[in-house]
């Protein structure tokens, strides 16, 4: 037993974020059940986690025996009902309000523990919009992890107007003491702390490139060499995923109606054309 009281963890979704959350929990010694939509998704998620662990072994950060132990603590299921006995369920599906709300409504009916906590891994959606789909909004919290989850130390923690103090305390205890992350708390506003600052910066870099003011290479070089940023804004945008950024920008703009949050036409056209950044092989840069 740990300070949070969570020993049975569920993760819904095993894309980049879901796989990273599941792996980090398992690295911390926790048994994790990952629910996915299909066997194909399960295989892709398993390969993603295995690849991450293999890289850790090659770099000398993990022994082969530990790799096997971590994998042994992760189980996959295609049946959402298998999460019925979970005490803490972290959702990491697509950044879509309706999809998340539908999932939370289903989890509310499935999970038996009346004290279970539901966490939504969202980078832009107010927590109230998904918590309202459940009959227990006091047990819903937002946990915004950063990619790659295994390496990035921060988690933004937020809740809706109904989230109970105990929900915050149990979630923060698990995230910090078990997963080994640092936490910053944010009010329930689209974008929270980090994206409310980051997204306008990235959109400004895109507008600069769109206007022909400077090339993507010069924009990025200016920020890495002139401001000591570890990565330029356009290469960072490619790494995050341009489709993800477009959705986050849309959520921020709808919340605040500030022009600085609006996605520029260049970003929208790139997403429509399938140029999504590193994951598609091409964004502002080309990737092998």
């Amino acid at each position: 037993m740990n300070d949070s009281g969570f020993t049975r963890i569920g993760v819904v979704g095993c894309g980049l974020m879901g796989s990273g959350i599941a792996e980090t929990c398992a690295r911390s010694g926790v048994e994790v059940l990952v629910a996915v939509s299909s066997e194909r998704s399960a295989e892709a998620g398993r390969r993603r986690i295995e690849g991450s662990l293999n890289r850790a072994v090659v770099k000398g950060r993990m022994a082969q025996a530990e790799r096997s132990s971590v994998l042994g603590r992760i189980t996959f299921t295609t049946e959402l009902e298998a999460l019925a006995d979970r005490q803490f369920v972290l959702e990491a599906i697509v950044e879509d309000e309706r999809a998340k709300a539908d999932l939370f409504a289903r989890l509310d009916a499935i999970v038996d523990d009346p004290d279970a906590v539901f966490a939504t891994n969202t980078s832009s959606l107010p927590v109230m919009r998904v918590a309202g789909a459940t009959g227990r909004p006091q047990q819903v919290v937002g946990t915004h992890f950063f990619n790659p989850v295994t390496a990035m130390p921060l988690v933004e923690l937020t809740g809706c107007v109904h989230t109970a103090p105990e929900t915050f305390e149990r979630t923060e205890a698990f995230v910090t003491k078990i997963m080994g992350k640092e936490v910053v708390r944010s009010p329930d506003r689209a974008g929270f702390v980090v994206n409310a600052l980051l997204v306008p910066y990235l959109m400004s870099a895109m507008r600069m490139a769109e206007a022909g003011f400077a090339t993507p290479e010069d924009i990025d070089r200016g920020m890495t060499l002139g401001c000591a940023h570890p990565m330029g804004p356009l290469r960072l945008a490619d790494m995050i995923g341009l489709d993800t950024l477009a959705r986050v920008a849309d959520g921020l703009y709808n919340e605040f109606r500030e022009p600085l949050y609006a996605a520029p036409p260049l970003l929208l056209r790139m997403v429509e054309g399938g140029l999504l950044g590193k994951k598609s092989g091409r964004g502002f840069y080309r990737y092998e």
Side-chain angles (χ1 to χ4, degrees):
M1 184 68 69
N2 53 64
D3 290 348
S4 66
F6 301 133
T7 57
R8 297 188 299 276
I9 309 301
V11 175
V12 183
C14 203
L16 285 174
M17 301 307 296
S19 62
I21 292 169
E23 180 185 340
T24 304
C25 287
R27 284 192 184 199
S28 303
V30 179
E31 303 286 337
V32 187
L33 179 60
V34 183
V36 292
S37 58
S38 66
E39 288 293 345
R40 182 177 180 181
S41 295
E43 286 302 317
R46 187 176 290 108
R47 286 196 301 270
R48 191 173 287 113
I49 292 170
E50 288 176 349
S52 174
L53 294 172
N54 289 342
R55 288 190 292 274
V57 171
V58 168
K59 293 177 180 179
R61 298 173 181 167
M62 178 180 291
Q64 188 67 39
E66 184 183 356
R67 172 195 176 278
S68 299
S69 295
V70 171
L71 283 174
R73 288 192 284 270
I74 301 173
T75 306
F76 289 85
T77 181
T78 58
E79 302 294 331
L80 197 65
E81 291 73 15
L83 299 177
D85 70 339
R86 300 293 98 176
Q87 299 164 310
F88 187 33
V89 180
L90 297 103
E91 163 274 313
I93 64 170
V94 64
E95 188 78 343
D96 179 87
E97 182 180 326
R98 178 172 295 181
K100 289 179 183 288
D102 288 348
L103 172 63
F104 272 65
R106 292 181 64 192
L107 289 171
D108 189 34
I110 288 169
V111 176
D112 294 327
D113 189 340
D115 297 319
V117 169
F118 300 146
T120 176
N121 184 60
T122 176
S123 57
S124 63
L125 297 174
V127 175
M128 188 65 245
R129 295 181 186 172
V130 294
T134 76
R136 32 184 159 176
Q138 71 278 8
Q139 291 156 231
V140 178
V141 67
T143 51
H144 179 207
F145 290 83
F146 292 80
N147 183 41
V149 179
T150 55
M152 296 295 280
L154 183 67
V155 176
E156 287 185 301
L157 188 64
T158 189
C160 67
V161 294
H162 295 297
T163 304
E166 182 185 5
T167 299
F168 275 118
E169 292 162 9
R170 297 176 70 197
T171 304
E172 185 165 354
F174 184 83
V175 168
T176 57
K177 297 180 181 180
I178 305 303
M179 299 185 77
K181 303 295 185 183
E182 297 285 340
V183 162
V184 295
R185 292 202 182 191
S186 167
D188 192 20
R189 303 290 186 272
F192 313 128
V193 173
V194 173
N195 279 331
L197 292 170
L198 176 64
V199 171
Y201 164 61
L202 299 182
M203 298 301 111
S204 294
M206 293 177 193
R207 292 189 189 96
M208 182 175 282
E210 182 177 48
F213 188 92
T215 65
E217 291 80 4
D218 280 348
I219 291 169
D220 283 352
R221 190 177 298 115
M223 296 310 295
T224 55
L225 300 182
C227 295
H229 288 199
M231 184 180 296
L234 299 179
R235 195 169 290 279
L236 175 59
D238 274 357
M239 189 184 78
I240 293 170
L242 301 187
D243 53 338
T244 299
L245 273 176
R247 285 194 296 268
V248 173
D250 186 56
L252 283 161
Y253 182 74
N254 287 336
E255 177 94 344
F256 298 107
R257 297 297 176 182
E258 292 282 355
L260 75 166
Y261 291 123
L266 174 62
L267 174 60
L268 300 178
R269 298 298 89 78
M270 291 176 75
V271 171
E272 290 166 359
L275 308 183
L276 308 182
K278 190 172 183 179
K279 62 186 174 184
S280 71
R282 183 180 168 193
F284 288 96
Y285 298 90
R286 291 182 180 271
Y287 302 87
E288 295 298 328

